[in-house]
Amino acid sequence: FCLVDFLSLFRQVRERLKQQVVEMKEKFPGFRPGLAILQVGNRDDSNLYINMKLKAAAEIGISANHIKLPNTATEADVLKCIASLNGDPAVHGFIVQLPLDSDKPINTERITNAVAPEKDVDGLSSINAGKLSRGDLGDCFIPCTPKGCMELIRQTGIQVAGKRAVVVGRSKIVGAPMHDLLLWNHATVTTCHSKTSTLAEEVGKADILVVAAGKAEMVKGEWIKPGAIVIDCGINHVPDSTKASGKRVVGDVAYNTAKEKASYITPVPGGVGPMTVAMLMQSTVESAQRFLEKFQPGKWNIQYTQLTLKVPVPSDIEISQSCIPKPIDQLAKEVGLLPDEVELFGQTKAKVHLSTLKRLKNQPDGKYVVVTGITPTPLGEGKSTTTIGLVQALGAHLHQNVFACVRQPSQGPTFGIKGGAAGGGYCQVTPMEEFNLHLTGDIHAVTAANNLVAAAIDARIFHELTQTDQALYNRLVPSVNGVRKFSDIQIRRLQKLGISKTDPTSLTKEEVNLFVRLDIDPGTITWQRVLDTNDRFLRKITIGQSPTEKGFSRTAQFDITVSSEIMAVLALSDGLDDMKKRLGRMVVASSKRGEPITTDDLGVTGALAVVMKDAIKPNLMQTLEGTPVFVHAGPFANIAHGNSSVLADKIALKLVGKEGFVVTEAGFGADIGMEKFFNIKCRYSGLRPHVVVLVATVRALKMHGGGPTVTAGVPLPKEYVEENLQLLAKGCSNLNKQIQNARIFGVPVIVAVNAFKTDTKAELALVVQMAKEAGAFDAVECTHWAEGGKGAVALAQAVQRASQTPSNFRFLYNVELPVVDKIRLIAQQIYGARDIELLPEAQEKVTLYTKQGFGNLPICMAKTHLSLSHDPEQKGAPTGFILPIRDIRASVGAGFLYPLVGTMTTMPGLPTRPCFYDIDLDPVSGEVNGLF
């Protein structure tokens, strides 16, 4: 007889697999086949087998991950873990270690069938078993032990085809698949088992005998046909007093007598076992190879949506409702999100968990592009439309990984004068009615959190006015079951006051007074209530008029929700912990001693974090052409920084990978949104932009050249619909200035000339020419509104070229400069002012905020978006003016000071004919009708 040289075969398989892994890494740098082993419980035998598999994987170069659930895990726990591994693109092979060692009842078949068939390298799922039984050997995974047995049989040199094979055992793991495998290798196969009455007779006919019955030495040597090949898969323990353990391991075949008749036989232990492990590694490598055939690492396997363009272009909502978006969970999978990282809100929107950022922390960032614009007309110049058109071009037409990151619109302008902000024409976020309305409730969460702070301020003033120190203390630190205890936030308050005590009974009367009295000066309150509706009659109100408020009333106001500092905090936070700290730092007023009063002093920080815990997760949607969009946060672009969230950008940059693109939009013109994007958002995020896309229109440039006023809802004057190159050339002064503004920050500029049907070829060519002469890297005519991504392909190609050039990004100012110097730098270098003038109230605030320690915050200028100056009537590129600073306010939690330039309102009003006149709901279909 001969022992099958399994050790030599195992080494050959291992070396072959190692070489295959090396070749994969050379072809796809950074790629490694991934194996996941899921274990439930802590069985010693399972731990031994898993360690063998982990060791083999490491030797071959496979990245192996051992996931261990406790023996208290339920079936639902196991299925949740399997779903996560099924969706992980880094896992190519995945096994569930059996048996499942759980205290809870678990259906093993349901568990093995939950493993994705394309990752089921154990071959135990019903789908893989079915394919094997049908003979689809090239399209399934074969259980590792039968697969190893076949390798051992081939090692003997025997021709399997035409031979008689007998399989003793019918388990799903070995016996049944072994039968199928031999059958489809053209052997004549008989399956026997412990109940076979003629077992010895059947065994005696076998040229090839595979035994997997699980019964010690069940098959006797004298039964075996002379010269047969014997593969013994059994592992059994029998008593043996000569062994230290009192037992020895034997197979299912009586080895000592069988070896006298067999031509080849596998030993036990050490025969089939190592080959089973080797075949698991081989299946994992095969799975990785199949993955690479379908998916190019770093490239999404994404299905784009084909547009059906119509002329004339229908209304935005007609276009949106005519396009059927992909299920959002499909899009999430396409861009590399795992199932447990996605929280679905219906079929078209989802929240993405922040754990995604932790998982992808070692992934290189993609290219970072910001879309801004020249100083606009009141109609807007199409920044959102261009943002969406650009990503549709990069994705659906140039096949690049690309994400758009945009702000969530307020319902104020949606129902007011502007309408929605989903883009327009064939470049939209869809469904637009979902985008423009509640989305996932983030703005409502900001409203609730903001108004909780407002309620806490007035309640605290009221209680301090109507109670003694001791009464306040008894209520703030109540005795529960005879025990008083400070909460965590109260401990922070004590530490801020310099009181190191933690025993509530040990405070002196003076310390109690300091602790319970915030002594808020009502005249210094800067925190207002908010509402996400345009309501001009809430701009100034009187609160506290009920008799129950005992005469405490004051003048206050409502702002629109997106102007709340909490919205700016949401947009600038880089995680839950950072958001909570920012929420706690928000200054709401000053005390009568001139000290800043924060939300942490009010004791409301933790509650705010709880209200905002879901709002911090970015919202996933898609464009009309099926490219992904993050919609997250919506801070005003005047008293706040006007950009979508840092977190959305960071997650998107990881998901697109090194060669991909993230396109985000900055509110208003480049002098406002772009400047704040660079000096505030990039300063806090640490991200560095690669390209600026500056949107310009012939219409706006004619206005800057001296054209008549443009008014929403009124037909355009003839100057805007007839060719006028002289007016246009004069207005390009604004374009030139905004190009220079972008170049100040060291980032290449692409001018996107958003073409309207009234523009002539000569006018568009003139803008392109003058943009290049002003220093733009390139200037491109765009027709994306009418053509979708196809109309922005030239823009996308220009962005690709610009992103390859060095970016020498730099900030405009050092935050350590005095407040006045920072304001002056922005006014002179970005706006073109000769100097600034601080009115008395603003000068007082400079002194106050510097004294309070806020002087080193960035500056967020609050001025009109309709002019580079403070005067909305001054068009073009005015110079030599003095910029008046009326007041300065602090958003300490968000992290900036915002000087007020001229007059403005933080609560817009409704026009004579608001947008809501055109909005309606079909009661039969449930569809939204009307204009957005």
Side-chain angles (χ1 to χ4, degrees):
F1 85 100
C2 289
L3 282 172
V4 177
D5 190 0
F6 63 90
L7 286 177
S8 174
L9 180 58
F10 177 74
R11 292 191 194 100
Q12 289 174 24
V13 171
R14 184 182 63 187
E15 291 306 312
R16 184 180 75 243
L17 295 176
K18 281 174 72 173
Q19 183 57 36
Q20 289 174 349
V21 171
V22 168
E23 290 171 2
M24 279 189 258
K25 289 180 180 178
E26 289 174 351
K27 189 173 182 181
F28 303 103
F31 179 82
R32 287 181 73 189
L35 171 67
I37 303 173
L38 176 60
Q39 179 185 9
V40 179
N42 194 36
R43 284 176 59 118
D44 289 339
D45 54 350
S46 292
N47 292 333
L48 177 63
Y49 299 145
I50 289 169
N51 285 335
M52 289 169 57
K53 294 166 186 174
L54 294 174
K55 181 181 178 183
E59 290 174 350
I60 291 166
I62 294 172
S63 174
N65 183 21
H66 179 199
I67 302 99
K68 200 169 187 176
L69 299 179
N71 59 9
T72 56
T74 64
E75 186 173 291
D77 295 331
V78 181
L79 290 172
K80 182 180 178 182
C81 187
I82 289 173
S84 176
L85 292 167
N86 281 343
D88 190 342
V91 173
H92 309 108
F94 169 26
I95 69 168
V96 178
Q97 184 67 41
L98 300 176
L100 299 167
D101 179 25
S102 175
D103 297 339
K104 306 291 191 299
I106 297 180
N107 185 318
T108 300
E109 185 169 0
R110 187 175 296 138
I111 294 300
T112 54
N113 278 327
V115 178
E118 67 272 16
K119 297 187 177 188
D120 175 30
V121 289
D122 245 351
L124 299 182
S125 69
S126 296
I127 290 176
N128 277 318
K131 287 182 176 181
L132 174 59
S133 69
R134 291 192 324 184
D136 298 336
L137 304 189
D139 189 34
C140 71
F141 285 111
I142 299 164
C144 298
T145 299
K147 190 174 183 178
C149 291
M150 279 302 300
E151 288 291 331
L152 290 167
I153 292 167
R154 292 191 185 102
Q155 179 73 6
T156 67
I158 190 175
Q159 184 73 31
V160 176
K163 295 294 188 294
R164 257 183 195 280
V166 173
V167 178
V168 181
R170 53 185 171 179
S171 73
K172 294 178 182 179
I173 297 176
V174 183
M178 192 72 237
H179 171 279
D180 294 336
L181 196 54
L182 285 163
L183 179 66
W184 294 110
N185 277 273
H186 311 298
T188 302
V189 189
T190 301
T191 296
C192 301
H193 44 79
S194 58
K195 298 292 188 292
T196 302
S197 59
T198 58
L199 182 59
E201 181 182 339
E202 296 297 337
V203 168
K205 299 174 184 176
D207 301 312
I208 301 168
L209 176 65
V210 180
V211 187
K215 188 173 181 181
E217 299 182 331
M218 173 183 175
V219 174
K220 310 304 179 187
E222 56 269 22
W223 298 354
I224 294 172
K225 179 180 179 179
I229 294 169
V230 179
I231 308 293
D232 188 352
C233 302
I235 296 181
N236 308 280
H237 294 90
V238 297
D240 188 340
S241 58
T242 66
K243 303 290 183 180
S245 63
K247 57 186 177 181
R248 60 188 171 89
V249 176
V250 298
D252 291 353
V253 178
Y255 179 79
N256 288 331
T257 53
K259 70 181 182 180
E260 301 300 327
K261 302 189 74 176
S263 59
Y264 291 90
I265 188 168
T266 56
V268 176
V272 173
M275 280 307 299
T276 298
V277 175
M279 292 302 101
L280 174 63
M281 300 302 118
Q282 181 169 306
S283 292
T284 301
V285 171
E286 288 172 0
S287 181
Q289 289 170 332
R290 292 177 190 176
F291 173 83
L292 290 174
E293 289 172 5
K294 291 183 180 180
F295 306 100
Q296 184 178 342
K299 281 287 186 183
W300 296 339
N301 184 29
I302 185 167
Q303 177 183 335
Y304 297 109
T305 306
Q306 190 76 31
L307 292 178
T308 302
L309 303 178
K310 293 182 179 181
V311 179
V313 176
S315 70
D316 290 349
I317 197 162
E318 285 179 285
I319 293 172
S320 178
Q321 292 180 344
S322 70
C323 296
I324 300 174
K326 293 179 287 188
I328 201 66
D329 56 341
Q330 176 187 329
L331 178 63
K333 183 178 181 180
E334 288 174 343
V335 302
L337 289 164
L338 307 186
D340 60 358
E341 293 171 343
V342 180
E343 189 176 325
L344 301 179
F345 279 69
Q347 292 293 310
T348 58
K349 53 193 176 182
K351 279 199 164 290
V352 174
H353 291 206
L354 305 190
S355 58
T356 307
L357 202 53
K358 183 178 180 181
R359 173 175 66 87
L360 299 174
K361 63 182 179 182
N362 295 323
Q363 169 93 327
D365 288 345
K367 304 292 195 303
Y368 198 26
V369 181
V370 60
V371 176
T372 185
I374 62 171
T375 305
T377 68
L379 305 180
E381 308 318 307
K383 290 195 311 297
S384 298
T385 305
T386 302
T387 299
I388 302 306
L390 174 57
V391 298
Q392 289 180 175
L394 283 165
H397 297 269
L398 299 181
H399 305 292
Q400 301 295 305
N401 293 357
V402 62
F403 242 103
C405 292
V406 299
R407 289 182 292 168
Q408 179 183 351
S410 163
Q411 288 183 171
T414 295
F415 290 120
I417 193 169
K418 181 177 179 291
Y426 286 103
C427 298
Q428 298 184 45
V429 181
T430 186
M432 68 173 300
E433 56 269 43
E434 297 283 347
F435 175 88
N436 284 318
L437 296 175
H438 308 283
L439 198 58
T440 57
D442 295 350
I443 292 181
H444 299 317
V446 172
T447 302
N450 183 99
N451 293 342
L452 179 60
V453 175
I457 293 168
D458 289 310
R460 188 59 177 260
I461 293 172
F462 173 79
H463 290 308
E464 288 187 25
L465 284 172
T466 57
Q467 297 180 53
T468 64
D469 288 358
Q470 194 57 50
L472 284 167
Y473 192 61
N474 289 342
R475 288 179 171 88
L476 287 169
V477 194
S479 176
V480 180
N481 296 325
V483 178
R484 276 186 166 184
K485 184 180 179 182
F486 290 123
S487 66
D488 291 344
I489 201 165
Q490 289 176 328
I491 294 289
R492 291 203 298 272
R493 166 84 177 144
L494 289 167
Q495 291 170 345
K496 181 178 177 179
L497 295 169
I499 301 170
S500 58
K501 299 174 181 177
T502 56
D503 180 1
T505 63
S506 65
L507 267 63
T508 65
K509 286 185 178 181
E510 292 76 13
E511 289 169 338
V512 167
N513 175 266
L514 283 172
F515 176 73
V516 302
R517 299 273 172 199
L518 298 181
D519 279 334
I520 295 171
D521 180 353
T524 66
I525 295 173
T526 56
W527 196 269
Q528 309 298 342
R529 287 164 173 81
V530 298
L531 187 69
D532 195 35
T533 302
N534 288 2
D535 191 343
R536 66 191 312 126
F537 288 94
L538 293 177
R539 289 172 181 170
K540 181 174 280 191
I541 60 172
T542 302
I543 61 172
Q545 292 186 327
S546 169
T548 57
E549 310 321 307
K550 301 181 181 179
F552 170 64
S553 65
R554 67 181 181 89
T555 300
Q557 69 186 57
F558 269 81
D559 295 339
I560 197 160
T561 297
V562 290
S563 70
S564 168
E565 183 177 352
I566 293 178
M567 181 61 85
V569 165
L570 175 65
L572 289 169
S573 297
D574 69 1
L576 271 171
D577 184 57
D578 182 47
M579 181 180 73
K580 184 177 176 182
K581 289 175 180 175
R582 287 175 180 269
L583 291 171
R585 289 199 300 264
M586 295 187 302
V587 174
V588 300
S590 293
S591 71
K592 292 170 183 175
R593 297 182 297 276
E595 298 165 346
I597 302 297
T598 67
T599 41
D600 217 47
D601 294 324
L602 288 167
V604 75
T605 304
L608 296 179
V610 169
V611 173
M612 295 295 295
K613 69 180 177 64
D614 291 318
I616 198 172
K617 304 167 191 171
N619 304 294
L620 178 66
M621 295 188 75
Q622 63 192 284
T623 68
L624 290 173
E625 295 192 52
T627 58
V629 181
F630 273 141
V631 185
H632 199 217
F636 250 25
N638 46 27
I639 68 166
H641 63 291
N643 285 268
S644 60
S645 78
V646 165
L647 277 169
D649 290 0
K650 285 190 170 183
I651 295 173
L653 284 164
K654 295 297 183 186
L655 287 170
V656 299
K658 186 177 181 182
E659 301 303 320
F661 291 84
V662 170
V663 182
T664 190
E665 178 192 344
F668 293 154
D671 54 308
I672 300 180
M674 183 196 71
E675 181 270 317
K676 295 173 183 180
F677 172 82
F678 289 142
N679 282 322
I680 297 175
K681 185 176 180 180
C682 290
R683 196 184 298 269
Y684 282 121
S685 70
L687 300 173
R688 296 296 178 261
H690 295 81
V691 183
V692 171
V693 173
L694 184 69
V695 179
T697 63
V698 168
R699 178 182 67 193
L701 292 172
K702 285 182 176 179
M703 179 194 70
H704 286 294
T709 302
V710 175
T711 306
V714 177
L716 288 171
K718 64 181 180 63
E719 288 86 349
Y720 297 103
V721 295
E722 296 176 358
E723 185 174 288
N724 190 328
L725 298 179
Q726 185 178 358
L727 190 66
L728 179 61
K730 184 179 178 184
C732 281
S733 61
N734 186 271
L735 174 63
N736 296 350
K737 175 57 179 167
Q738 298 289 29
I739 291 171
Q740 296 311 313
N741 283 344
R743 295 186 66 192
I744 284 172
F745 295 92
V747 184
V749 187
I750 305 291
V751 172
V753 187
N754 188 16
F756 293 177
K757 63 182 180 181
T758 53
D759 301 337
T760 68
K761 288 292 182 184
E763 287 174 331
L764 294 169
L766 179 61
V767 178
V768 168
Q769 175 192 334
M770 296 194 74
K772 291 178 179 178
E773 290 174 356
F777 179 90
D778 202 351
V780 182
E781 177 188 338
C782 304
T783 55
H784 46 276
W785 178 81
E787 297 184 299
K790 176 185 173 184
V793 167
L795 173 62
Q797 290 169 334
V799 167
Q800 285 182 298
R801 292 193 301 272
S803 71
Q804 301 302 320
T805 64
S807 176
N808 301 308
F809 176 70
R810 55 188 173 271
F811 298 120
L812 179 65
Y813 55 81
N814 187 322
V815 290
E816 301 300 326
L817 288 173
V819 172
V820 174
D821 290 354
K822 288 181 285 192
I823 297 173
R824 182 176 287 112
L825 274 170
I826 296 171
Q828 292 177 336
Q829 296 201 34
I830 302 299
Y831 305 156
R834 179 162 59 85
D835 205 349
I836 62 173
E837 178 188 11
L838 266 66
L839 300 184
E841 193 170 356
Q843 187 59 64
E844 289 173 9
K845 292 293 179 62
V846 170
T847 303
L848 174 66
Y849 293 144
T850 302
K851 178 183 176 183
Q852 291 181 337
F854 307 138
N856 62 349
L857 292 176
I859 300 299
C860 182
M861 300 291 281
K863 81 168 187 71
T864 179
H865 63 290
L866 297 175
S867 172
L868 280 162
S869 74
H870 58 287
D871 180 1
E873 300 303 318
Q874 290 193 47
K875 303 303 181 183
T879 58
F881 58 91
I882 303 296
L883 191 75
I885 309 299
R886 178 169 58 85
D887 193 6
I888 301 175
R889 295 177 187 169
S891 288
V892 178
F896 51 75
L897 301 178
Y898 59 99
L900 303 180
V901 181
T903 58
M904 65 183 61
T905 178
T906 50
M907 172 54 82
L910 291 173
T912 305
R913 193 183 193 283
C915 291
F916 60 64
Y917 272 78
D918 300 305
I919 299 171
D920 201 359
L921 183 74
D922 186 319
V924 178
S925 68
E927 282 192 348
V928 177
N929 300 317
L931 303 174
F932 272 91

